[in-house]
């Protein structure tokens, strides 16, 4: 199956597995392994998990393997997953924060503080292997990739002033100088 980064509708993997394979021959305790190559975001994962109880295979464990490049996209996916799974925050606020992280380059001040807090807990996930309710495993990452991932989470600290409006303006001005292909 092929998905365009962010342009395809959400997809329920369990439904696709049930429609394409004979599930009666597999054990009910065998995990479902799903490899996602360059998904760009976690919307398919969230959708599949949210709908898993609707399927006969829903009681089986699901293992998602994500292969994405650059590593910053994986960091963003882990940040969004951490925001979804923060059960200390009310569900409406979690949904708002998730959507703000998912769709905006500029976030509110309170969301920036929350992202900084999540970045610190995700750094402990990379360094110590603790966090995200034990649902995420980074054992398949190389040490170099873990170091890059930790530096990305470190960049979530608000100590660095990042002027998104000016950077976007410079980017658009640079794009307007490029010749167009007709």
């Amino acid at each position: 199956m092929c998905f365009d980064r962010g342009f395809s509708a959400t997809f329920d993997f369990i439904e696709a597995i049930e429609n394409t394979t004979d599930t009666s021959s597999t054990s009910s305790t065998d995990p479902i392994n799903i490899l996602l190559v360059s998904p760009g975001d976690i919307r398919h994962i969230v959708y599949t998990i949210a709908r898993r109880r609707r399927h006969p295979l829903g009681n089986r464990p699901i293992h998602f393997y994500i292969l994405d490049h650059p590593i910053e996209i994986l960091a963003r996916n882990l940040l969004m997953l951490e925001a979804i799974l923060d059960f200390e925050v009310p569900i409406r606020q979690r949904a708002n924060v998730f959507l703000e992280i998912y769709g905006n380059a500029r976030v509110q001040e309170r969301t920036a503080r929350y992202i900084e807090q999540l970045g610190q807990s995700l750094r402990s996930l990379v360094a110590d292997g603790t966090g995200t309710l034990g649902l995420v495993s980074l054992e398949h990452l190389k040490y170099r990739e873990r170091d890059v991932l930790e530096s990305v989470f470190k960049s979530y600290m608000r100590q660095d002033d990042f002027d998104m409006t000016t950077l976007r303006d410079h980017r658009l001005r640079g794009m307007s100088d490029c010749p167009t292909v007709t």
Side-chain angles (χ1 to χ4, degrees), residues 66-82:
I66 300 174
L67 176 65
D68 220 332
H69 190 74
I71 199 77
E72 287 83 1
I73 295 175
L74 179 63
R76 182 174 179 259
N77 291 342
L78 288 172
L79 177 71
M80 289 189 294
L81 186 64
E82 187 81 14

Side-chain angles (χ1 to χ4, degrees), residues 13-179:
F13 290 104
I14 297 176
E15 183 177 334
I17 291 170
E18 288 178 346
N19 291 338
T20 58
T21 61
D22 179 25
T23 57
S24 62
S25 63
T26 59
S27 170
S28 64
T29 59
D30 292 340
I32 299 171
N33 295 318
I34 300 171
L35 172 65
L36 300 173
V37 179
S38 297
D41 57 38
I42 60 170
R43 62 196 156 96
H44 304 298
I45 296 171
V46 172
Y47 190 69
T48 300
I49 291 172
R51 295 176 51 97
R52 75 183 288 184
R53 301 246 185 250
R54 299 178 185 196
H55 305 290
L57 293 177
N59 59 349
R60 292 173 55 185
I62 304 172
H63 297 168
F64 289 98
Y65 296 91
I66 300 174
L67 176 65
D68 220 332
H69 190 74
I71 199 77
E72 287 83 1
I73 295 175
L74 179 63
R76 182 174 179 259
N77 291 342
L78 288 172
L79 177 71
M80 289 189 294
L81 186 64
E82 187 81 14
I84 288 172
L85 296 175
D86 188 1
F87 297 115
E88 295 176 4
V89 177
I91 192 161
R92 180 175 292 234
Q93 186 177 351
R94 269 188 284 157
N96 288 337
V97 167
F98 174 80
L99 291 173
E100 191 171 354
I101 293 170
Y102 182 78
N104 293 315
R106 299 179 61 193
V107 295
Q108 300 174 24
E109 181 65 28
R110 66 185 165 107
T111 306
R113 286 192 303 271
Y114 185 67
I115 290 172
E116 181 178 9
Q117 175 188 353
L118 291 179
Q120 291 173 352
S121 67
L122 287 168
R123 281 180 62 200
S124 70
L125 170 69
V126 173
D128 306 329
T130 59
T132 318
L133 304 173
L135 296 175
V136 175
S137 172
L138 302 175
E139 66 185 20
H140 296 292
L141 289 179
K142 297 176 184 174
Y143 287 110
R144 177 183 36 194
E145 293 168 335
R146 287 179 186 228
D147 291 341
V148 173
L149 193 60
E150 186 176 1
S151 69
V152 170
F153 292 138
K154 195 180 290 186
S155 73
Y156 290 168
M157 304 290 283
R158 293 179 307 131
Q159 65 192 12
D160 300 327
D161 190 28
F162 190 77
D163 188 8
M164 186 66 198
T165 307
T166 304
L167 291 173
R168 181 179 182 275
D169 184 49
H170 288 301
R171 180 173 177 245
L172 291 176
R173 288 174 192 264
M175 289 175 65
S176 66
D177 294 337
C178 296

